[in-house]
Amino acid sequence: MSLTTNDIKVGETRESILVDDLKRTRIVQYAGASGDFNPLHTDERFAVEAAGYPGVFAHGMLTMGMTGRVLTDWVGTESLLRFGVRFKAQVWPGDTLTATATVESIEDMPTGPVAHFVLRTLNQDGAEVVTGTAAARLEP
């Protein structure tokens, strides 16, 4: 998938529902895939009694990875040059997450045009859980 400067415009936005009713099973599957078995994400008793949280919550990197899908579905993985996020709030089992990517600018670089994006992922209550930026190469 290669986008050109004719395919994408400044201010254009894409939205994607990343997950509807996040299941604990998915959080544990991510723990297994990533090797991150921090008990804050996998042990309800530890999360509540030792750490003082209301329960286990998703790994930030799981939320980041899901957020990236709004970009890769739009520009493709091969065009992505940079992707970074800031974690703003925990993601809990049962949450529904929606990500938005907006084209902030398109810059002519010596290697070709590059689109710069701002990212935002909200939960079902409208709370920001992730914000970020990304850049993708465009075909001239």
Side-chain angles (χ1 to χ4, degrees):
M1 174 187 322
S2 295
L3 297 178
T4 70
T5 53
N6 293 326
D7 299 324
I8 195 166
K9 303 292 178 219
V10 173
E12 191 173 349
T13 296
R14 293 287 168 93
E15 184 175 284
S16 177
I17 296 174
L18 306 175
V19 63
D20 182 10
D21 186 16
L22 178 66
K23 302 293 187 203
R24 288 174 190 253
T25 302
R26 190 165 182 181
I27 295 170
V28 172
Q29 288 172 327
Y30 181 81
S34 68
D36 180 355
F37 290 99
N38 183 322
L40 291 172
H41 308 297
T42 57
D43 185 335
E44 182 77 13
R45 187 171 176 185
F46 177 85
V48 173
E49 295 177 13
Y53 289 100
V56 295
F57 54 91
H59 304 72
M61 295 303 286
L62 172 59
T63 307
M64 180 182 182
M66 290 190 293
T67 296
R69 200 173 68 223
V70 72
L71 287 168
T72 57
D73 286 352
W74 191 1
V75 302
T77 56
E78 69 284 350
S79 298
L80 202 56
L81 298 173
R82 182 177 48 79
F83 171 47
V85 301
R86 181 181 181 110
F87 304 113
K88 306 282 286 200
Q90 275 93 7
V91 172
W92 307 99
D95 277 359
T96 294
L97 302 179
T98 303
T100 303
T102 302
V103 180
E104 185 175 49
S105 65
I106 297 175
E107 182 178 14
D108 283 323
M109 304 291 287
T111 57
V114 173
H116 299 272
F117 299 88
V118 292
L119 307 166
R120 190 172 183 224
T121 299
L122 306 177
N123 68 14
Q124 69 283 351
D125 298 321
E128 275 185 342
V129 296
V130 163
T131 59
T133 59
R137 183 182 330 275
L138 302 175
E139 295 297 320

